[in-house]
Amino acid sequence: MAAETRTRTPSKTEHLLINMGPSHPAMHGVIHIVLELDGEVVVKAEVNIGYLHRAFEKHCESGTYTQAFPYTDRLNYVSPLINNFGYALAVEKLLGIEVPERCKYIRVIMSEISRIADHLTCIGASGMELGAFTVFLYCMKAREYLYDLIEAATGARITISYGRIGGVKADLPDDFAERAKPAFAQVRAVLSDIDRLLTNNRIFVDRMKGVGAISKEEAINYSFTGPMLRATGVYYDVRKAQPYLCYDQIEFDVPLGQNGDNYDRYLVRMAEMEQSMRIVERALKQMPAGPIAVDRTGPRDELGASRPLKPDEMVDLGKVGKTEGLLEARLSLSPNLQGMEEERSQAINAPEKRVVLPPKEETYANIEALMQHFMLIMDCWGMNPPEGEVYFPVEGANGELGFYIVSDGSDRPYRVRARAPCFPFVAALHRMIEGGMVADVIPTFGSINMIAGELDR
Amino acid sequence: MSETSPLLLRIAQEFGEAVIATHSFRGDDTATVRRESILEVLRFLKETPELGFEMLTDVTAVDYLKYRSTDTPGPAFLAHEFLAREREPQSARFSVVYHLYSLTHNRRIRLKVPVEESDAAVPSATPLWPIADWLEREVWDMFGIKFVGHPDLRRILTYEEFEGHALRKDYPLRKRQPLAPTREGWEWAADQTVSFPKTDRFDAMPPSKRERE
């Protein structure tokens, strides 16, 4: 009797409002999602961003053109090299200069290594969100090998500030190709492990397939780019559509998905990493040779042997008037300046005296170079690009990363705007999670690979 | 001011008076369009098959308040030359900038809409592209330009209680605002005055040239 009355009573249902974030343990990145739930189904979702806003654009406008580089490192902090080069390419377009061939190859190689690191992070995180913690650790292990490569070339691992307007900071080390070989072998081993762990894993496929899907038309309307757009089957890659640097001279494929769901995004990213390694290997083979021999004999000591001088030693000799052979002297540079020696700097920097700093040997030994150095560094002097505005897109790890720069002819950018690739993804996040289960919010959020640094700028 | 690009010619022919100016600098086609007809131009660009600009890559704005002002940093001996150059008076303070991309034809175009400070409002592009929703919210947040017809024009990167618009050129670089806003019902917060230490690293920095006027 009692049971009967209980079933007859009309049950009262109401939607439950849940705040996910801003600092939710399962979300990597500060973002706030307000979820309206009917049982376990997401009825409505609202996304709030801005928790990592640090006025990137305002900061760039207050400094000189070169001073913006460290800020660009912090846009997408998983692949900072691409941001560096994107900004440098935009300013170079404004100036109308082109970097030497070797520099282009270095930029391509470093960009692609960053892209692999970025995709590894994304896949590792989405694995972890589904309980596959092993995959995350494997990915981090593989990323370490790539960071070692990046460290060998740039001297830093994350905030590298490696790009320069009209070139790069330093040449690749001589043994870079030999170092890349074992590193890529390790990454490939990890990738095949992940492939065997995840691609046909029942739990993983069930949780990823058909989840967080978005149609081709909607993806275009939301201006998706990068792996997210390619997962829906649209062939658009800035490297192919508007080739910059030397991407038109290197063969590679653009992997495409079909359904635009989380699983296809995973497959596209996995395939892209292999292509990126292919690009790096090709580029290392095709790259023109670096150092150009510079004849530097310099002053000889009592025994008649020439030796490299230290900068302060050189200054002292000049002060007491012993200038004989000083211009030709070799200089022992500090390890911080490794890769920027005079014989290398010609190969990696554009021959533009109004933009590129002279090599350090010249700066220390030669008054013209010293003046040029100070002209470029001093406040209110620097480089003065012509008046105008440019937009330059590059293929970031997440999609099209564009820099829109307005110059008013002064030494500081009048306006710098970064078009963040993951901004549209987060804007469309509610479209991907509404109607799904609340447990699928986190994997979908992981698969869009939101990087708060570039989202909130 | 060269009208060489066939794309810009086409737009100029189609809209005549509504297109104020066009130019191609470093290969970037730019058309300056009157505010009243921006929505028509955007729709025309999106829906005409032979143009086919399906993608609204970016919406942003530029504040021309201090553009080429006399205090622009530059070598002193070049100053007279700098001033002697033909100066184009920037009549409107703001420009809203649209970047469009055509997937089918692999082309880009930039549209600019001059906006006066006294009447900073532009028709919203949300009926054409859903992404315009967030992009326009960011422009509103950073520049204070309203988008007429926008369904939900709120601040996006800063918080509702934030005063002013940060990317305007007259917004001071080092201005401080309390990070914990005082909301209704938060009496404990209303009593507290949020103060920042005087020995801030940024306060010790010399002001930039632009700020020194």
Side-chain angles (χ1 to χ4, degrees):
Chain A
M1 184 69 192
E4 211 174 299
T5 45
R6 213 177 292 147
T7 50
R8 272 184 202 160
T9 329
S11 62
K12 189 175 152 241
T13 61
E14 60 180 41
H15 289 171
L16 179 68
L17 210 65
I18 281 192
N19 281 299
M20 201 177 242
S23 50
H24 189 272
M27 288 159 97
H28 39 100
V30 239
I31 183 172
H32 178 204
I33 309 178
V34 186
L35 295 168
E36 197 182 321
L37 299 181
D38 178 11
E40 281 203 54
V41 178
V42 180
V43 181
K44 202 170 173 306
E46 198 195 307
V47 184
N48 292 321
I49 63 166
Y51 294 91
L52 206 63
H53 178 60
R54 56 205 186 285
F56 162 77
E57 290 167 16
K58 188 92 175 169
H59 273 304
C60 288
E61 288 158 24
S62 71
T64 62
Y65 280 93
T66 316
Q67 282 169 351
F69 275 109
Y71 297 129
T72 60
D73 285 350
R74 286 143 180 91
L75 281 177
N76 183 343
Y77 36 74
V78 191
S79 53
L81 284 151
I82 305 181
N83 309 334
N84 269 201
F85 301 146
Y87 174 76
L89 282 161
V91 181
E92 281 156 19
K93 183 176 173 184
L94 186 64
L95 285 157
I97 62 175
E98 203 172 331
V99 295
E101 201 69 1
R102 184 173 169 86
C103 176
K104 286 183 186 171
Y105 275 97
I106 293 176
R107 284 181 176 185
V108 165
I109 291 165
M110 300 313 280
S111 298
E112 293 308 315
I113 292 176
S114 305
R115 193 183 315 281
I116 307 170
D118 197 288
H119 286 354
L120 276 173
T121 317
C122 176
I123 286 175
S126 23
M128 183 176 66
E129 277 146 10
L130 297 173
F133 198 70
T134 318
V135 173
F136 178 73
L137 294 178
Y138 282 8
C139 285
M140 292 303 112
K141 183 180 90 175
R143 210 175 68 165
E144 284 305 302
Y145 294 111
L146 299 173
Y147 276 169
D148 285 345
L149 281 182
I150 291 175
E151 194 181 0
T154 69
R157 292 165 83 82
I158 309 271
T159 48
I160 36 83
S161 297
Y162 181 63
R164 292 287 184 277
I165 294 160
V168 288
K169 184 192 124 196
D171 198 2
L172 296 181
D174 290 331
D175 59 344
F176 191 81
E178 285 85 73
R179 284 188 201 213
K181 234 172 248 169
F184 282 177
Q186 294 281 2
V187 174
R188 285 206 168 96
V190 167
L191 284 185
S192 89
D193 280 349
I194 297 172
D195 186 48
R196 275 178 293 160
L197 277 169
L198 292 183
T199 308
N200 294 315
N201 182 323
R202 185 63 193 274
I203 303 171
F204 186 76
V205 175
D206 282 357
R207 290 292 305 276
M208 297 290 263
K209 221 166 198 166
V211 174
I214 197 157
S215 72
K216 205 183 270 190
E217 293 72 30
E218 201 166 10
I220 292 172
N221 272 336
Y222 267 105
S223 28
F224 277 28
T225 46
M228 292 282 284
L229 181 65
R230 292 195 283 272
T232 64
V234 180
Y235 182 87
Y236 172 56
D237 187 320
V238 186
R239 293 174 291 175
K240 287 280 188 196
Q242 285 144 5
Y244 53 98
L245 295 174
C246 51
Y247 279 113
D248 48 348
Q249 296 160 29
I250 299 171
E251 253 177 70
F252 66 100
D253 301 325
V254 178
L256 290 182
Q258 257 179 337
N259 309 319
D261 57 2
N262 287 348
Y263 189 65
D264 278 19
R265 286 170 204 150
Y266 159 77
L267 291 179
V268 166
R269 287 207 171 93
M270 286 294 273
E272 261 183 31
M273 282 192 274
E274 185 50 49
Q275 293 302 324
S276 289
M277 282 190 268
R278 193 176 150 199
I279 295 175
V280 175
E281 282 162 355
R282 290 248 165 183
L284 280 170
K285 264 187 210 142
Q286 292 180 14
M287 190 157 72
I292 299 155
V294 178
D295 182 30
R296 286 201 173 274
T297 46
R300 298 181 180 271
D301 57 13
E302 297 80 36
L303 297 170
S306 76
R307 62 185 174 83
L309 295 173
K310 285 183 183 148
D312 50 346
E313 209 177 344
M314 187 177 255
V315 173
D316 287 347
L317 282 173
K319 271 183 190 164
V320 295
K322 291 187 182 167
T323 49
E324 197 188 339
L326 215 56
L327 266 177
E328 289 79 40
R330 271 185 297 142
L331 203 63
S332 64
L333 289 176
S334 103
N336 294 337
L337 301 172
Q338 214 169 20
M340 326 157 73
E341 296 87 2
E342 190 181 22
E343 60 265 31
R344 291 175 183 272
S345 79
Q346 280 180 35
I348 57 170
N349 284 316
E352 283 286 340
K353 290 204 166 174
R354 65 201 164 106
V355 174
V356 178
L357 286 178
K360 286 291 168 289
E361 287 91 338
E362 289 286 314
T363 316
Y364 288 143
N366 183 337
I367 185 67
E368 283 80 13
L370 188 70
M371 282 158 71
Q372 186 199 340
H373 179 95
F374 276 110
M375 293 270 280
L376 284 171
I377 294 292
M378 271 191 311
D379 193 25
C380 305
W381 290 69
M383 61 189 81
N384 292 279
E387 255 187 275
E389 50 194 333
V390 291
Y391 176 81
F392 197 94
V394 294
E395 181 73 19
N398 263 340
E400 179 182 321
L401 171 75
F403 281 95
Y404 170 59
I405 298 179
V406 180
S407 157
D408 65 345
S410 69
D411 69 330
R412 290 158 195 235
Y414 188 76
R415 172 101 176 88
V416 177
R417 155 85 181 165
R419 189 258 180 211
C422 71
F423 191 83
F425 308 157
V426 182
L429 179 61
H430 69 103
R431 298 284 307 144
M432 291 183 261
I433 58 178
E434 274 170 12
M437 307 295 270
V438 67
D440 291 334
V441 172
I442 292 290
T444 306
F445 177 73
S447 81
I448 68 172
N449 195 15
M450 184 208 89
I451 308 282
E454 69 175 10
L455 176 75
D456 297 341
R457 293 179 298 271
Chain B
M1 293 286 155
S2 58
E3 275 189 33
T4 43
S5 159
L7 175 66
L8 292 175
L9 275 178
R10 175 81 201 272
I11 296 169
Q13 276 167 9
E14 190 77 28
F15 289 95
E17 279 291 288
V19 179
I20 304 167
T22 56
H23 69 90
S24 304
F25 176 72
R26 305 262 189 248
D28 284 10
D29 293 341
T30 310
T32 312
V33 181
R34 275 188 216 288
R35 184 174 65 171
E36 298 75 41
S37 26
I38 180 64
L39 215 54
E40 285 167 50
V41 177
L42 286 173
R43 180 169 284 125
F44 173 74
L45 288 173
K46 187 187 179 191
E47 287 167 7
T48 314
E50 66 264 28
L51 299 176
F53 285 93
E54 305 100 338
M55 220 185 241
L56 178 67
T57 311
D58 198 12
V59 179
T60 184
V62 184
D63 179 2
Y64 283 104
L65 183 68
K66 295 189 179 173
Y67 191 78
R68 282 178 71 179
S69 56
T70 42
D71 63 325
T72 308
F77 68 89
L78 282 179
H80 64 278
E81 194 188 316
F82 190 77
L83 292 173
R85 270 191 284 171
E86 195 189 337
R87 190 176 257 244
E88 227 179 289
Q90 187 73 36
S91 54
R93 178 171 169 185
F94 299 106
S95 257
V96 178
V97 184
Y98 298 83
H99 284 101
L100 305 186
Y101 176 67
S102 163
L103 276 170
T104 36
H105 304 288
N106 189 16
R107 259 199 304 226
R108 286 176 198 278
I109 191 170
R110 180 187 305 132
L111 297 176
K112 294 181 81 173
V113 180
V115 181
E116 297 290 345
E117 189 187 358
S118 52
D119 182 22
V122 177
S124 167
T126 37
L128 294 170
W129 285 284
I131 184 64
D133 181 348
W134 272 35
L135 289 170
E136 287 173 354
R137 271 176 72 189
E138 192 183 330
V139 175
W140 156 248
D141 188 0
M142 291 291 138
F143 290 93
I145 297 169
K146 285 204 175 87
F147 287 87
V148 180
H150 191 286
D152 181 25
L153 199 63
R154 284 181 293 135
R155 286 182 182 271
I156 184 165
L157 294 181
T158 57
Y159 43 92
E160 281 303 313
E161 292 83 354
F162 190 86
E163 281 169 24
H165 301 280
L167 275 181
R168 286 191 172 193
K169 288 285 174 184
D170 51 4
Y171 187 90
L173 190 65
R174 264 186 250 35
K175 185 175 174 181
R176 293 292 170 130
Q177 296 203 23
L179 279 175
T182 49
R183 290 204 171 94
E184 249 180 274
W186 288 23
E187 273 136 34
W188 58 273
D191 294 333
Q192 280 175 0
T193 46
V194 185
S195 62
F196 293 96
K198 280 276 180 242
T199 51
D200 194 292
R201 194 168 63 83
F202 287 102
D203 292 336
M205 271 162 54
S208 76
K209 197 78 180 176
R210 273 221 180 89
E211 280 195 318
R212 250 180 253 157
E213 16 68 289

